[in-house]
Each structure stands twice: as structure tokens, then as C-alpha cells.
Amino acid sequence: MEQKRTELSQLGEFGLIERIKNNFSLQNPTSLKGIGDDAAVINAGTENLLVSTDMLLEGIHFDLSYMPLQHLGYKAVAVNVSDIAAMNGKPEQIVISLGLSNRFSLEAVDALYEGIKTACKNYGVDLVGGDTTSSPTGLVISITVMGRAAKDKTVLRGGAKANDIICVTGDLGAAFLGLQVLEREKEVFKSNPKMQPDLEKYEYLVGRQLKPEARMDIVHELAEKNIVPTSMIDVSDGLASELFHLGKNSNVGIKIFEDKIPIDSQTYDTAIEFKIDPTTTALNGGEDYELLFTINPTDFEKLKNHPDIHFIGHTHDNAKQNVMISKQGTVVPLQAQGWKHF
Ligand code: ADP
Ligand code: MG
């Protein structure tokens, strides 16, 4: 008899994670929050311990022909720290697992760890362990980060109430376009190795792709202003997906305004050059590692003049309705994109 076979692409990333989650129940009272947030939340006495892991694979998440190993090391740490930031926590330790093939020299590993070290210094985290193994060809880096947050300041994806204000930091879509630029230059270089890549015009975009930062600065500023977001997530997959996660987990609907989405002018111009709608790069691009969060409207006064926090819309009580009001004033349903890797 033929065995049943279901393609993973049928479920998609979110469907697969949902399925895994539903097959497991938590047994320990210390496991406060399991699968389904940016980090797990573990009761560690007076505070919460936060744990998150992210893996980067050569050929999927990075291409060493344009990703210098130093940057890769930095980015691998930054994307992990970003998940702790998304819990309103402070990162403290990382462990690193490496898969290496004989393609990599000691100098290459040194360069990778140079970037890791810089990130550890910048974010104040300690490298406390890991694992090293051989890999048939590609480079694999898996980092697990541990952090801490006060019990009453730990922020989940699921805490937004109707009529909270939706905020996003920085600007969106640049990292995605940086990748498009790098891919294009790689093709040009492959067809004519004498051609030097012309990246000056795209410096900001390429920097956003190669050197992302976790927004720990925002976490510290929120604490200084005594603001605890009602919900929060980091923008790793694109604004649309992250809005869906906040809405679904909080059981609220989302309404955002296209003209409020922060897009840098270089992002805008380059999107047009690539014949992509600039808004689409923000909604579906990903890898921005900005923070998306909701606040109680009573906190708006304290944040309204912040130069790097943008108010893009609000939540409402119809959890089934996630919409964007376009620049023309039309109502556009938001589409969750999710996974590109399968
Ligand atoms: P993020 O984009 O913030 O890193 P993910 O979308 O990767 O989050 O993961 C969402 C949730 O699913 C997290 O709680 C994560 O720990 C969990 N998760 C992802 N993959 C697996 C897996 N293979 N097994 C168990 N849990 C997983
Ligand atoms: Mg995340």
C-alpha cells in the first residue's frame, strides 16, 4: 500500500509550528509560555527567564559570496537578541552551535567569531557555550539566547486590547531590497568578473541586510518612560505576517494606514527601480528586525514625539478583520505571507 505523503509546503511554516505546538502540552509549572512567541518564558523566581533560538543556513539565509563572515557573526547574534527585545527583555547569555566543512579555514572561523564578539560587546551578552560539528558542505550557525525580564514587564504577542495604538520602530523594507541589490550585483559579477559592484547608491539598504541591529535601544527607552507595551513582536518576516501574529494571539483585528508605514527614501526609490511596490517591501520583505508593538492609548503622549517610533494604526474588536487603508483611501485586506523557505 502506498504511504501517505503530505508536502510541507501545504502547511507552510506557521501551519507546521502550530501542528507541533498542538501535539505537546507543558508539564512543568515553570514553563510559563511555550511555543508561539518570540521567546519562551520560564519562571525563574522573582524574574522571568527568556529563551529563544535561531538558525542560519548557508544557501538559505546567507550567501558567503556577498556576506562577509564578520557581518554574518554579528547578524547571527543580533537576530537572536532581537527576539529577547521583542519580549521587552534584556539578553544575557548565548550558546553557539556551528556546522563547518573543510571549506572553512581557521582564519574564516576567526572572522566569524570577530563579528560574534563585537555583537556580544554591543549587546552586553556573554558567550557561555555551544557545540561544534562537521558539515558536509555548507556553514550552519545556530544560536540560542537567554535573557531576563521582570514579571510585570514581560511582553507577549497576545496582550493587545481593542483600540490599542500600533507602533513600529525605524523603517521597513530596506533589508529586503538590500538583498535584491546584492543578488543583482552577484549576477552581474558572475557574467563579467571585471565589473566592480556599484553599491554606493544602495549603501543604506545593503547595510540593513548585512548589519542588522536588535532594537535594544527602544527597550531601554520604553523602560525609562515607564511604558510597557501591551503586545510586541520583532519584524523578521515582514510587517504583514507580524501584524497577523499580534492580532491572532491577542484576539483583536488590525487596521493600519499605508501612508503611516515608515519607508526610507532609498528604499522607496530602489523599490521603484526594481518595479516593486514600496509598500510591498515593507509588508512582505522581512529581516528588518524592528520592533512592532501596541500601546494603551494613555501612553501615546509619552511617545508621540519620539523620532524613531511610528504610529501606523490601531487594533479593533473584530478579530477577523485585518485591513490596510491605502493611500487612495480604499480598504485592502492584509495578507499574511509567512514562509519563503519551503
Ligand atoms: P521568530 O520569527 O520570532 O524567531 P518563529 O516564527 O521562528 O519565531 O517561531 C515561532 C514559535 O515557534 C517560537 O515559539 C518558536 O520557539 C517555535 N518553534 C519554531 N520552530 C519550532 C520547532 N521546530 N519545534 C518547536 N517549536 C518551534
Ligand atoms: Mg521574533
Side-chain angles (χ1 to χ4, degrees):
M1 210 179 81
E2 210 170 291
Q3 280 235 309
K4 185 174 175 229
R5 180 189 158 92
T6 310
E7 298 304 327
L8 291 176
S9 55
Q10 270 174 259
L11 284 94
E13 177 184 14
F14 305 142
L16 178 62
I17 293 174
E18 195 66 31
R19 190 184 153 93
I20 297 170
K21 180 180 165 186
N22 293 338
N23 271 329
F24 285 81
S25 53
L26 300 173
Q27 306 176 54
N28 293 301
T30 45
S31 307
L32 299 180
K33 176 82 201 179
I35 297 172
D37 220 296
D38 293 288
V41 182
I42 294 159
N43 186 351
T46 53
E47 287 189 308
N48 286 330
L49 174 65
L50 308 168
V51 183
S52 180
T53 193
D54 257 303
M55 180 157 59
L56 298 179
L57 262 77
E58 184 176 359
I60 302 274
H61 299 98
F62 60 88
D63 182 329
L64 288 174
S65 59
Y66 49 67
M67 180 62 136
L69 282 161
Q70 240 152 309
H71 288 338
L72 181 64
Y74 193 94
K75 182 170 177 172
V77 177
V79 303
N80 273 279
V81 169
S82 180
D83 277 323
I84 298 299
M87 306 301 288
N88 204 32
K90 183 181 166 293
E92 292 182 345
Q93 289 89 17
I94 53 169
V95 291
I96 302 186
S97 297
L98 275 189
L100 289 165
S101 75
N102 58 10
R103 266 175 57 223
F104 296 92
S105 63
L106 175 62
E107 288 72 21
V109 176
D110 280 348
L112 181 72
Y113 272 84
E114 198 56 48
I116 290 171
K117 195 172 182 180
T118 308
C120 283
K121 191 160 164 271
N122 285 1
Y123 296 117
V125 301
D126 299 319
L127 170 61
V128 295
D131 192 23
T132 310
T133 169
S134 56
S135 141
T137 49
L139 174 62
V140 181
I141 310 173
S142 172
I143 299 190
T144 299
V145 61
M146 281 147 286
R148 242 166 233 283
K151 297 231 173 257
D152 57 348
K153 300 207 162 99
T154 306
V155 178
L156 303 179
R157 293 176 178 180
K161 301 274 180 289
N163 300 315
D164 280 354
I165 298 170
I166 303 173
C167 314
V168 71
T169 61
D171 60 79
L172 303 174
F176 169 78
L177 282 170
L179 182 62
Q180 306 313 307
V181 168
L182 288 166
E183 292 279 355
R184 183 177 68 184
E185 295 305 317
K186 184 185 168 187
E187 290 310 311
V188 171
F189 184 78
K190 271 204 295 199
S191 58
N192 181 0
K194 287 204 190 88
M195 287 270 288
Q196 282 303 306
D198 162 32
L199 294 176
E200 216 167 283
K201 197 175 136 197
Y202 308 102
E203 202 183 340
Y204 179 64
L205 309 180
V206 170
R208 291 281 285 172
Q209 169 61 221
L210 299 182
K211 295 181 286 186
E213 291 285 357
R215 296 306 306 260
M216 283 308 301
D217 57 327
I218 297 289
V219 173
H220 293 306
E221 281 184 63
L222 290 173
E224 274 162 28
K225 292 183 194 297
N226 232 330
I227 296 172
V228 181
T230 52
S231 70
M232 185 149 61
I233 188 168
D234 67 328
V235 183
S236 53
D237 292 335
L239 180 63
S241 287
E242 317 306 0
L243 285 167
F244 264 88
H245 286 311
L246 290 191
K248 184 160 181 257
N249 283 282
S250 301
N251 199 28
V252 293
I254 301 290
K255 184 177 191 177
I256 61 162
F257 297 85
E258 185 181 11
D259 63 351
K260 303 282 185 212
I261 300 174
I263 295 178
D264 181 81
S265 62
Q266 206 172 89
T267 305
Y268 192 92
D269 294 345
T270 309
I272 301 293
E273 184 191 329
F274 276 77
K275 300 193 167 52
I276 305 171
D277 176 10
T279 302
T280 303
T281 68
L283 289 175
N284 299 328
E287 292 202 283
D288 299 302
Y289 299 102
E290 295 294 342
L291 289 173
L292 173 69
F293 57 96
T294 52
I295 55 167
N296 188 300
T298 53
D299 283 329
F300 177 68
E301 277 299 311
K302 291 193 251 178
L303 282 186
K304 70 174 185 195
N305 294 321
H306 195 291
D308 214 23
I309 296 177
H310 309 278
F311 308 97
I312 60 170
H314 61 83
T315 53
H316 58 81
D317 57 16
N318 182 355
K320 290 197 188 73
Q321 212 177 70
N322 296 314
V323 298
M324 178 175 79
I325 307 303
S326 76
K327 288 176 184 163
Q328 293 77 33
T330 55
V331 181
V332 185
L334 277 173
Q335 310 279 357
Q337 263 246 325
W339 221 345
K340 294 142 209 159
H341 299 323
F342 273 160

